[in-house]
Amino acid sequence: MVSSVDRSEIAFFDLETTIPTRPEQPYAILEFGSILVCPKKLIELESFETLVRPHDLSLISASSVRANGITADAVVSAPTFSDIADRVYDILHGRVWAGHNILRFDCVRLREAYAQINRSPPEPKGTIDSLALLTQRFGRRAGDMKMASLAAYFGLGQQSHRSLDDVRMNFEVVKHCATVLFLESANPGEQIPIPIPSNEAMVEDSSSTTQSDAFTPQTEFLPSNEVSMASITVSSSSSVSPYFHGSHKIQILHRDIPLQIRCDSMRIRFGLSTKYLDHAGRPRLSFVVDANSSNLCDLLNTCDNITKRFMDSDRNSEWRPLVSRKPGFFDSPTIRLHLRTEDGDGSGWMTEIYKKESSSLSSLSIPQLVTSSRYDVAELDWLFRPGGFVDAYLCLDPYNYQQNAGIRLVAKKLVVHY
C-alpha cells in the first residue's frame, strides 16, 4: 500500500458511467478504477477498482449496458459513491491525474458526483489528458485516436470498456507512444514503422496514407445530377438504430446500394448549431447551407416522399422535410447538414473535415485534413462562417424518434473553402 503522504505518483483513473437517454438526465458513475504509477520507473505501484451503485438504478439504460456491460443486477449490492468517496479522494487528491479524455469527461463527472453528496472534490496538482497530449504529439497516425484505435495500432488487444482494464491499457499506450517518439527524436524526419497486427477490428493505419490518398474522391458518392430518381428505393434491415423506433433501420438505396451524394460549393447560411442533443445528451452539431440547385431539391424531395410513404404506418410522428422553405423566402431553400457522431462511448464527432484555399481553382489542389474525430465546437466554429462554401459528402439517415421523423443529411466528409 502506497503511503498517503507520498503524492509523487501519477494517478491514472477511469470512470464507467450511465449514458443519459434524455437531455435533462444526469450521468451516474457505475465503476471507478485507478492505478498509481511511479513516474521514475514507470511501474504500477497500486490499483483500486470498484463497482458503484447509483441512487437510481433506472438510470442504467440499454445504451449504458451496450457501452460497458454493467447491468443493474451487477451493481445492486455495490457501494454507493458516498461509500467510496473517501478512498477516491485519498487516491487522487494532490497527485498528477492521467487518463484518456479525462478533462472533458471523467473530471467533470467526478466533480458532479462529489457535488451530489455535498463534498469538496479532490484536486490534482497537474493533469495529463492522453487524448489531447497524444493527438498533439503523436498525430493522427493511429486514426481517430480513440483508446481502442491506439491499442489496436500497437497490438495491445481490444478495449474492454471496464475501468481498471482501460486504465492499464491507457498506461501501456502512453508508454508505447513515448517510446516511438523517443526513437523518432533520435532520427529526425523519420517515422518509426509499427507492425500492424492482423485484427478485423483494427482501424486503418493512417501513417501509411499520403495526404492525396486520404482524400481521393470515392465513387460511392454520386453528384445529385447523376442520381436516377426512378432508381431510388427504401428498404429496412434488422440492425437496431437509437434514432429509430422498432427493430428495423430504414435505408435509402440507389440501384440497391445505399445512396450517398456529393454536393460541391454549398454556401453556408448559418454556422454551427449546438441547439439539438443526441440520445446521450451531447450537442449534435449541424449547420445550414443553401440548396444550390433545383436538381438537388428535386432529389431530396423525392427521397422524402418515398421514405415517408414507407414509414406511413406510424402516423404519430411529424415528418420534417429535408428542404426548408421559410415564409417569404420560397426561392431561397436551405438544408441542414449534420456532423457524424459516435454511437459507442460518445466522446466526440467523426466527420472528416478538410480545408482548401478558396483562391485555388486548380482541381489538383489537395485539401488539408483538419481533423477526423474528437474536437471541440470552438475549434471548428471559425471554419463554418456564414457566406463561406463547403463541398459535402453526405449519407442519408432516416429517423423516427420522439414523435419526429424525417431524414438527416449526415456529412462523412466536408471540404471547407477558406
Side-chain angles (χ1 to χ4, degrees):
M1 183 87 173
V2 175
S3 169
S4 61
V5 177
D6 185 357
R7 302 279 99 179
S8 64
E9 306 87 15
I10 300 172
F12 280 78
F13 76 98
D14 179 70
L15 303 176
E16 294 298 329
T17 72
T18 59
I19 297 179
T21 56
R22 299 186 304 277
E24 68 275 9
Q25 197 174 64
Y27 288 86
I29 295 175
L30 297 177
E31 190 173 48
F32 175 88
S34 68
I35 60 173
L36 294 184
V37 171
C38 173
K40 295 181 179 180
K41 298 181 179 180
L42 293 182
I43 57 174
E44 179 181 325
L45 302 174
E46 179 185 322
S47 67
F48 175 71
E49 179 184 36
T50 181
L51 290 169
V52 181
R53 185 178 80 251
H55 65 88
D56 182 359
L57 290 175
S58 69
L59 294 174
I60 304 177
S61 63
S63 299
S64 297
V65 177
R66 283 196 299 270
N68 50 45
I70 301 175
T71 64
D73 289 343
V75 299
V76 68
S77 299
T80 65
F81 185 78
S82 180
D83 295 330
I84 66 166
D86 286 340
R87 181 70 189 275
V88 172
Y89 189 96
D90 183 62
I91 291 170
L92 297 179
H93 187 67
R95 288 192 168 103
V96 173
W97 297 0
H100 207 66
N101 200 36
I102 58 171
L103 290 178
R104 290 179 56 193
F105 188 81
D106 302 77
C107 293
V108 177
R109 304 287 87 80
L110 201 64
R111 289 184 180 278
E112 290 172 350
Y114 275 94
Q116 288 170 1
I117 61 173
N118 297 314
R119 293 274 303 273
S120 297
E123 297 293 342
K125 67 178 180 182
T127 55
I128 303 172
D129 191 319
S130 57
L131 171 60
L133 178 64
L134 297 183
T135 298
Q136 178 186 8
R137 302 290 180 86
F138 201 65
R140 295 285 181 182
R141 68 183 81 178
D144 58 16
M145 300 304 284
K146 294 170 65 174
M147 182 55 59
S149 301
L150 286 161
Y153 183 79
F154 289 112
L156 298 175
Q158 294 187 347
Q159 185 182 8
S160 69
H161 292 286
R162 296 300 299 268
S163 292
L164 190 56
D165 288 344
D166 284 4
V167 163
R168 286 177 171 148
M169 177 172 279
N170 189 188
F171 182 36
E172 290 302 312
V173 163
V174 170
K175 288 194 293 184
H176 277 69
C177 288
T179 300
V180 170
L181 293 173
F182 172 76
L183 293 174
E184 287 181 351
S185 70
N187 297 274
E190 294 187 19
Q191 195 170 90
I192 304 301
I194 302 295
I196 305 301
S198 177
N199 186 335
E200 294 181 356
M202 252 297 283
V203 296
E204 180 181 353
D205 175 23
S206 60
S207 67
S208 63
T209 304
T210 66
Q211 185 71 60
S212 57
D213 290 337
F215 198 82
T216 300
Q218 302 178 38
T219 56
E220 64 192 52
F221 292 94
L222 296 174
S224 58
N225 60 0
E226 293 183 13
V227 177
S228 168
M229 307 291 185
S231 299
I232 298 176
T233 57
V234 176
S235 71
S236 61
S237 64
S238 58
S239 58
V240 176
S241 168
Y243 313 114
F244 205 91
H245 290 312
S247 59
H248 291 82
K249 177 176 172 61
I250 304 301
Q251 281 191 316
I252 301 172
L253 306 178
H254 181 256
R255 293 173 178 154
D256 298 326
I257 297 174
L259 176 60
Q260 301 187 107
I261 58 176
R262 189 184 83 229
C263 304
D264 295 332
S265 299
M266 306 193 79
R267 182 178 179 275
I268 300 173
R269 178 74 69 86
F270 301 110
L272 286 180
S273 168
T274 59
K275 176 181 177 181
Y276 301 100
L277 304 177
D278 67 10
H279 63 289
R282 301 179 301 266
R284 187 188 296 284
L285 298 187
S286 64
F287 62 102
V288 174
V289 297
D290 291 327
N292 55 354
S293 73
S294 59
N295 180 275
L296 176 61
C297 290
D298 290 343
L299 168 60
L300 298 180
N301 288 335
T302 298
C303 292
D304 263 337
N305 293 334
I306 294 174
T307 308
K308 185 179 180 181
R309 286 198 301 268
F310 189 93
M311 297 165 55
D312 223 15
S313 59
D314 185 358
R315 299 180 182 275
N316 294 321
S317 296
E318 178 185 356
W319 186 267
R320 297 180 178 272
L322 280 167
V323 180
S324 175
R325 286 183 165 90
K326 300 294 185 184
F329 296 92
F330 188 83
D331 294 330
S332 302
T334 61
I335 56 178
R336 182 176 293 276
L337 306 186
H338 299 263
L339 274 66
R340 195 157 55 116
T341 56
E342 297 173 348
D343 292 333
D345 61 12
S347 53
W349 294 270
M350 298 174 66
T351 299
E352 292 182 0
I353 299 176
Y354 300 77
K355 61 180 182 179
K356 181 179 180 180
E357 292 186 26
S358 299
S359 59
S360 176
L361 301 178
S362 171
S363 61
L364 298 178
S365 177
I366 300 172
Q368 301 297 307
L369 179 66
V370 177
T371 185
S372 58
S373 181
R374 296 178 179 271
Y375 41 76
D376 293 322
V377 178
E379 295 177 7
L380 291 180
D381 194 51
W382 66 275
L383 278 174
F384 296 93
R385 300 185 307 271
F389 291 86
V390 296
D391 303 333
Y393 294 73
L394 306 169
C395 63
L396 289 79
D397 184 20
Y399 66 90
N400 185 2
Y401 188 65
Q402 294 185 347
Q403 296 186 320
N404 290 305
I407 302 170
R408 295 170 69 238
L409 290 174
V410 182
K412 287 190 173 181
K413 293 183 182 180
L414 291 170
V415 182
V416 183
H417 300 222
Y418 74 104

